[in-house]
Short mmCIF file of all heavy atoms in Angstrom, two decimals:
data_model
loop_
_atom_site.label_atom_id
_atom_site.label_comp_id
_atom_site.label_asym_id
_atom_site.label_seq_id
_atom_site.Cartn_x
_atom_site.Cartn_y
_atom_site.Cartn_z
N GLU A 179 107.60 89.10 116.54
CA GLU A 179 106.45 89.80 115.96
C GLU A 179 105.14 89.30 116.55
O GLU A 179 104.24 90.08 116.81
CB GLU A 179 106.43 89.62 114.43
CG GLU A 179 107.52 90.37 113.72
CD GLU A 179 107.60 89.99 112.24
OE1 GLU A 179 107.29 88.84 111.88
OE2 GLU A 179 107.98 90.87 111.45
N VAL A 180 105.05 88.01 116.80
CA VAL A 180 103.84 87.46 117.42
C VAL A 180 103.66 88.05 118.80
O VAL A 180 102.58 88.50 119.17
CB VAL A 180 103.90 85.91 117.50
CG1 VAL A 180 102.81 85.37 118.39
CG2 VAL A 180 103.79 85.32 116.11
N SER A 181 104.73 88.10 119.58
CA SER A 181 104.62 88.63 120.94
C SER A 181 104.22 90.09 120.95
O SER A 181 103.47 90.53 121.81
CB SER A 181 105.96 88.48 121.67
OG SER A 181 106.27 87.12 121.81
N SER A 182 104.69 90.87 119.98
CA SER A 182 104.38 92.29 119.99
C SER A 182 103.08 92.61 119.28
O SER A 182 102.62 93.75 119.35
CB SER A 182 105.53 93.08 119.34
OG SER A 182 105.62 92.75 117.97
N SER A 183 102.47 91.63 118.59
CA SER A 183 101.25 91.94 117.83
C SER A 183 100.01 91.25 118.39
O SER A 183 99.00 91.20 117.72
CB SER A 183 101.44 91.52 116.36
OG SER A 183 101.47 90.12 116.27
N ILE A 184 100.10 90.72 119.60
CA ILE A 184 98.93 90.08 120.20
C ILE A 184 97.83 91.11 120.33
O ILE A 184 98.02 92.18 120.89
CB ILE A 184 99.27 89.49 121.59
CG1 ILE A 184 100.37 88.44 121.48
CG2 ILE A 184 98.04 88.95 122.27
CD1 ILE A 184 100.00 87.21 120.71
N SER A 185 96.66 90.77 119.78
CA SER A 185 95.56 91.74 119.81
C SER A 185 94.92 91.76 121.18
O SER A 185 94.98 90.81 121.94
CB SER A 185 94.51 91.38 118.75
OG SER A 185 93.80 90.24 119.15
N THR A 186 94.31 92.88 121.46
CA THR A 186 93.61 93.05 122.73
C THR A 186 92.12 93.06 122.46
O THR A 186 91.63 93.85 121.68
CB THR A 186 94.03 94.37 123.39
OG1 THR A 186 95.45 94.40 123.52
CG2 THR A 186 93.41 94.50 124.75
N TRP A 187 91.43 92.16 123.09
CA TRP A 187 89.98 92.07 122.99
C TRP A 187 89.37 92.72 124.22
O TRP A 187 89.89 92.57 125.33
CB TRP A 187 89.55 90.61 122.95
CG TRP A 187 89.71 89.91 121.64
CD1 TRP A 187 90.86 89.73 120.94
CD2 TRP A 187 88.68 89.29 120.89
NE1 TRP A 187 90.61 89.02 119.79
CE2 TRP A 187 89.27 88.74 119.75
CE3 TRP A 187 87.32 89.14 121.08
CZ2 TRP A 187 88.55 88.05 118.79
CZ3 TRP A 187 86.58 88.44 120.13
CH2 TRP A 187 87.20 87.92 119.00
N SER A 188 88.26 93.39 124.05
CA SER A 188 87.53 93.87 125.22
C SER A 188 86.92 92.65 125.91
O SER A 188 86.67 91.61 125.27
CB SER A 188 86.42 94.84 124.81
OG SER A 188 85.39 94.16 124.12
N ASP A 189 86.67 92.78 127.20
CA ASP A 189 86.03 91.68 127.93
C ASP A 189 84.67 91.35 127.32
O ASP A 189 84.31 90.17 127.21
CB ASP A 189 85.86 92.03 129.41
CG ASP A 189 87.14 91.83 130.21
OD1 ASP A 189 88.15 91.36 129.65
OD2 ASP A 189 87.12 92.17 131.41
N GLU A 190 83.92 92.37 126.92
CA GLU A 190 82.59 92.15 126.36
C GLU A 190 82.65 91.34 125.07
O GLU A 190 81.89 90.38 124.89
CB GLU A 190 81.88 93.49 126.11
CG GLU A 190 81.59 94.30 127.35
CD GLU A 190 82.82 95.05 127.90
OE1 GLU A 190 83.79 95.27 127.14
OE2 GLU A 190 82.81 95.38 129.10
N ALA A 191 83.56 91.72 124.17
CA ALA A 191 83.68 91.00 122.90
C ALA A 191 84.18 89.57 123.12
O ALA A 191 83.66 88.63 122.53
CB ALA A 191 84.62 91.75 121.95
N LEU A 192 85.16 89.41 123.99
CA LEU A 192 85.70 88.07 124.24
C LEU A 192 84.66 87.20 124.93
O LEU A 192 84.56 86.00 124.66
CB LEU A 192 86.98 88.14 125.07
CG LEU A 192 87.76 86.83 125.15
CD1 LEU A 192 88.19 86.34 123.76
CD2 LEU A 192 88.97 86.97 126.07
N GLU A 193 83.84 87.79 125.79
CA GLU A 193 82.78 87.02 126.44
C GLU A 193 81.76 86.53 125.41
O GLU A 193 81.32 85.38 125.45
CB GLU A 193 82.08 87.86 127.51
CG GLU A 193 81.05 87.09 128.29
CD GLU A 193 80.49 87.87 129.47
OE1 GLU A 193 80.74 89.08 129.58
OE2 GLU A 193 79.80 87.22 130.28
N ARG A 194 81.40 87.40 124.45
CA ARG A 194 80.49 86.96 123.36
C ARG A 194 81.13 85.82 122.59
O ARG A 194 80.47 84.84 122.25
CB ARG A 194 80.18 88.13 122.41
CG ARG A 194 79.10 89.03 122.87
CD ARG A 194 78.59 90.00 121.80
NE ARG A 194 79.64 90.74 121.09
CZ ARG A 194 79.92 90.59 119.79
NH1 ARG A 194 79.26 89.74 119.04
NH2 ARG A 194 80.89 91.30 119.23
N PHE A 195 82.42 85.95 122.29
CA PHE A 195 83.15 84.90 121.59
C PHE A 195 83.15 83.61 122.41
O PHE A 195 82.88 82.53 121.89
CB PHE A 195 84.59 85.36 121.31
CG PHE A 195 85.40 84.38 120.51
CD1 PHE A 195 85.51 84.52 119.15
CD2 PHE A 195 86.04 83.32 121.13
CE1 PHE A 195 86.26 83.60 118.40
CE2 PHE A 195 86.78 82.40 120.40
CZ PHE A 195 86.89 82.56 119.03
N ALA A 196 83.45 83.72 123.69
CA ALA A 196 83.58 82.56 124.57
C ALA A 196 82.26 81.82 124.77
O ALA A 196 82.27 80.65 125.15
CB ALA A 196 84.14 83.00 125.92
N HIS A 197 81.16 82.49 124.50
CA HIS A 197 79.84 81.86 124.68
C HIS A 197 79.11 81.68 123.35
O HIS A 197 77.94 81.31 123.35
CB HIS A 197 79.00 82.66 125.68
CG HIS A 197 79.59 82.62 127.06
ND1 HIS A 197 80.41 83.61 127.53
CD2 HIS A 197 79.51 81.69 128.03
CE1 HIS A 197 80.80 83.31 128.76
NE2 HIS A 197 80.28 82.13 129.08
N GLY A 198 79.79 81.97 122.24
CA GLY A 198 79.18 81.77 120.93
C GLY A 198 78.85 80.31 120.70
O GLY A 198 79.54 79.42 121.20
N GLU A 199 77.80 80.07 119.93
CA GLU A 199 77.33 78.69 119.77
C GLU A 199 77.56 78.09 118.40
O GLU A 199 77.19 76.95 118.16
CB GLU A 199 75.84 78.63 120.14
CG GLU A 199 75.61 78.96 121.60
CD GLU A 199 74.15 78.84 122.02
OE1 GLU A 199 73.32 78.40 121.20
OE2 GLU A 199 73.86 79.20 123.16
N SER A 200 78.18 78.83 117.48
CA SER A 200 78.45 78.23 116.17
C SER A 200 79.51 77.14 116.32
O SER A 200 80.29 77.14 117.28
CB SER A 200 78.94 79.29 115.17
OG SER A 200 80.28 79.67 115.46
N LYS A 201 79.53 76.22 115.38
CA LYS A 201 80.51 75.13 115.45
C LYS A 201 81.93 75.69 115.43
O LYS A 201 82.79 75.23 116.19
CB LYS A 201 80.31 74.15 114.29
CG LYS A 201 81.27 72.98 114.34
CD LYS A 201 81.03 71.97 113.24
CE LYS A 201 82.02 70.83 113.33
NZ LYS A 201 81.82 69.86 112.25
N THR A 202 82.17 76.69 114.59
CA THR A 202 83.51 77.29 114.52
C THR A 202 83.92 77.82 115.88
O THR A 202 85.03 77.55 116.36
CB THR A 202 83.53 78.43 113.48
OG1 THR A 202 83.29 77.88 112.19
CG2 THR A 202 84.86 79.17 113.49
N LEU A 203 83.04 78.59 116.51
CA LEU A 203 83.39 79.16 117.81
C LEU A 203 83.55 78.07 118.87
O LEU A 203 84.47 78.14 119.70
CB LEU A 203 82.34 80.19 118.25
CG LEU A 203 82.27 81.45 117.38
CD1 LEU A 203 81.27 82.43 117.95
CD2 LEU A 203 83.63 82.10 117.21
N ARG A 204 82.73 77.04 118.83
CA ARG A 204 82.86 75.95 119.82
C ARG A 204 84.21 75.25 119.67
O ARG A 204 84.86 74.92 120.68
CB ARG A 204 81.72 74.94 119.67
CG ARG A 204 80.39 75.46 120.17
CD ARG A 204 79.36 74.35 120.31
NE ARG A 204 79.50 73.27 119.36
CZ ARG A 204 78.76 73.11 118.25
NH1 ARG A 204 77.81 73.96 117.96
NH2 ARG A 204 78.98 72.09 117.44
N ILE A 205 84.65 75.05 118.44
CA ILE A 205 85.96 74.40 118.21
C ILE A 205 87.07 75.26 118.77
O ILE A 205 87.94 74.79 119.52
CB ILE A 205 86.18 74.12 116.71
CG1 ILE A 205 85.18 73.09 116.20
CG2 ILE A 205 87.62 73.66 116.46
CD1 ILE A 205 85.13 72.97 114.69
N VAL A 206 87.06 76.55 118.43
CA VAL A 206 88.12 77.45 118.89
C VAL A 206 88.04 77.64 120.41
O VAL A 206 89.07 77.72 121.08
CB VAL A 206 88.09 78.79 118.13
CG1 VAL A 206 89.18 79.73 118.65
CG2 VAL A 206 88.28 78.55 116.63
#
Side-chain angles (χ1 to χ4, degrees):
E179 289 171 329
V180 168
S181 296
S182 66
S183 70
I184 299 295
S185 72
T186 305
W187 281 60
S188 70
D189 280 356
E190 296 78 21
L192 191 60
E193 185 172 11
R194 277 192 310 114
F195 183 96
H197 294 95
E199 295 183 6
S200 74
K201 182 177 180 182
T202 295
L203 294 184
R204 287 193 328 259
I205 294 168
V206 178

